[in-house]
Amino acid sequence: MVAEHVELALFEQSLGNREGLHQPFGDRVADAAEKTAGSVLFDIRVDGDICVQRMAGIGYGETGTAIIVMEKSGQLRCASINGDTALLVAELAAWDASPLSEQARGDHRGTAIILLARLRGSGHFAPFPAG
């Protein structure tokens, strides 16, 4: 149910876009989190994926987490995740919250790719563009 609420907030944003201009990904994620009473856990680039260029997590405490991805086409997709990915989400949130000097020394790409692979394995975010 978490993902559906986030998708609705993102859809409302698309209706509110003026003159075809879209807000940056991070702003859209923050706005969706605010409108759905969640908190942004991470907002990262996903380098090396054939379809996805950015990924963010919005946390809802005990209710769960929604993952939002921005495809290379610019389309946003959302999915709710379960507890077996909690460690990966926590790692990405810790990396995103760390100072830039620590981010430069650490690498989040492996964790992001593993999370994306698990999401795809559970039927979310097809690895190849539809069409």
Side-chain angles (χ1 to χ4, degrees):
M1 191 67 173
V2 169
E4 289 82 9
H5 291 285
V6 174
E7 285 177 346
L8 180 59
L10 294 171
F11 176 70
E12 288 174 358
Q13 287 175 0
S14 68
L15 294 176
N17 286 337
R18 285 175 257 162
E19 300 173 18
L21 299 175
H22 294 282
Q23 292 178 304
F25 179 73
D27 292 349
R28 294 181 74 185
V29 169
D31 184 56
E34 182 181 327
K35 287 180 178 176
T36 58
S39 60
V40 178
L41 301 174
F42 63 87
D43 174 4
I44 59 171
R45 292 179 51 90
V46 180
D47 294 321
D49 189 81
I50 192 167
C51 294
V52 173
Q53 64 178 339
R54 293 189 65 94
M55 179 169 36
I58 299 176
Y60 296 93
E62 295 296 317
T63 306
T65 302
I67 300 295
I68 303 168
V69 298
M70 182 171 70
E71 296 178 342
K72 294 196 178 184
S73 67
Q75 184 170 354
L76 300 183
R77 299 199 181 273
C78 186
S80 294
I81 60 171
N82 55 31
D84 69 339
T85 55
L87 182 58
L88 297 169
V89 169
E91 285 181 31
L92 291 172
W95 181 87
D96 192 55
S98 65
L100 242 94
S101 60
E102 289 181 32
Q103 286 182 1
R105 284 180 276 167
D107 190 3
H108 71 284
R109 289 179 292 187
T111 305
I113 294 299
I114 292 168
L115 177 58
L116 198 49
R118 286 200 183 164
L119 288 165
R120 286 177 172 148
S122 65
H124 301 288
F125 313 136
F128 299 104

